[in-house]
Amino acid sequence: MSLEDAKNQVDQAFTRNDPRGLSFENAFGGATSFLRRRYSKDLKGVDLAVTGIPFDQAVTHRPGTRFGPRAIREASTLQPYDPPYGWGYDPLALLNIVDYGDMAFDYANTREVPARIEAHLGAILDAGAAPVTLGGDHFITLPILRAVAARRGPVALIQFDAHSDTWVDDDPDRIDHGTFLYKAIREGVVDPGASVSVGIRTENPDTLGVTILDAPSVHQDGVAATLARIRQVVGERPVYITFDIDALDPAFAPGTGTPVWGGLASWHAAALLRGLAGLDLIGGDVVEVSPPYDTTGATAIAAAHVAMELIALYGWTRRGG
């Protein structure tokens, strides 16, 4: 296959016959599934399912992350022509990946959303597929973790974020993007002793035992030392990765609801994610992309690359390194 195939290929989200392999339809046209993977609700034989949860409730400053999955899919159309650079293998050839579409919910019935997310992700996991989820605000990670922990036990977590999200919140009815990790730890679905938060740069008096590798430490100590510490904490545990796009400095990702200066550069994120190769990834998400605040599309492009790296990390372990 080559770019010559763009003469005939279009709408690969619906028309592709082989679930594996690259895609060469014109980036500016066609149905915008993630990486031009086939849309499917049939998960038989699927290794990894990409799904969107277009939900935002009450973010700190700027709403709009409900549009994140759509923007990330559109940005991803720049990526499926070649294997991701530097990995040395092609995860799109190795893995059977589908775009599972978005989760359906009643926007006027917010209270039912947590259970819907947990059931939606549970269906993916029960089919034997690993989930990569496009958000949506960071609340969505809580019911995702509940679904994973119900099947795998307490989760080792790597969180890329500007905020620790462990502010006190003991009201079970609150749906809050800033307290997902507090509740996940209190509920026992995350093991804080095997969990790391990277890129933090806001004050929080109690991180509940999670190891904090804040943004200044990444800048000062460097990528290699940061990776060594992450691996020391996580060990051999299966791990879930959640990536809040505001882990990146606003210079690299302005389209987020809670921008904080002094963050990671995009090259930090690329090197850190790549450096986690060999960990037993059981799923991941990228959240908080708010396209209305970034007309350049840079934030969605960054998120699309994060999602691709999560896919490549998952495939790396499955291919034996």
Side-chain angles (χ1 to χ4, degrees), residues 16 19 33-34 36-51 73 95-101 124 129-130 132 311:
R16 65 180 303 124
S33 63
F34 188 75
R36 305 292 194 180
R37 299 304 93 186
R38 184 171 58 200
Y39 275 116
S40 179
K41 297 297 186 184
D42 181 2
L43 295 178
K44 183 178 180 180
V46 169
D47 300 307
L48 191 148
V50 179
T51 189
R73 284 187 175 99
L95 300 172
N96 183 339
I97 304 169
V98 301
D99 191 322
Y100 193 61
I124 293 172
V132 169
I311 290 170

Side-chain angles (χ1 to χ4, degrees), residues 130-179:
V132 169
T133 306
L134 314 177
D137 74 40
H138 216 160
F139 168 78
I140 72 168
T141 305
L142 174 58
I144 292 173
L145 292 172
R146 288 170 177 160
V148 174
R151 292 154 178 82
R152 300 291 296 266
V155 174
L157 182 72
I158 301 174
Q159 173 194 10
F160 291 87
D161 209 326
H163 315 87
S164 65
D165 291 342
T166 54
W167 287 283
V168 175
D169 181 3
D170 291 315
D171 183 346
D173 292 327
R174 292 190 74 251
I175 296 175
D176 191 329
H177 75 291
T179 62

Side-chain angles (χ1 to χ4, degrees), residues 51-73 102-103 105 113 117 133-141 161 163 175-178 243-246 253-259 285-294 299-300 303:
T51 189
I53 300 181
F55 173 81
D56 59 4
Q57 152 68 356
V59 295
T60 305
H61 181 39
R62 305 188 300 192
T65 58
R66 65 187 62 186
F67 298 109
R70 182 180 295 176
I72 295 168
R73 284 187 175 99
D102 285 349
M103 185 192 79
F105 63 96
V113 169
I117 295 173
T133 306
L134 314 177
D137 74 40
H138 216 160
F139 168 78
I140 72 168
T141 305
D161 209 326
H163 315 87
I175 296 175
D176 191 329
H177 75 291
F243 197 109
D244 187 327
I245 206 66
D246 71 24
T256 185
T258 49
D285 62 57
V286 54
V287 298
E288 301 275 356
V289 173
S290 191
Y293 301 96
D294 179 10
T299 309

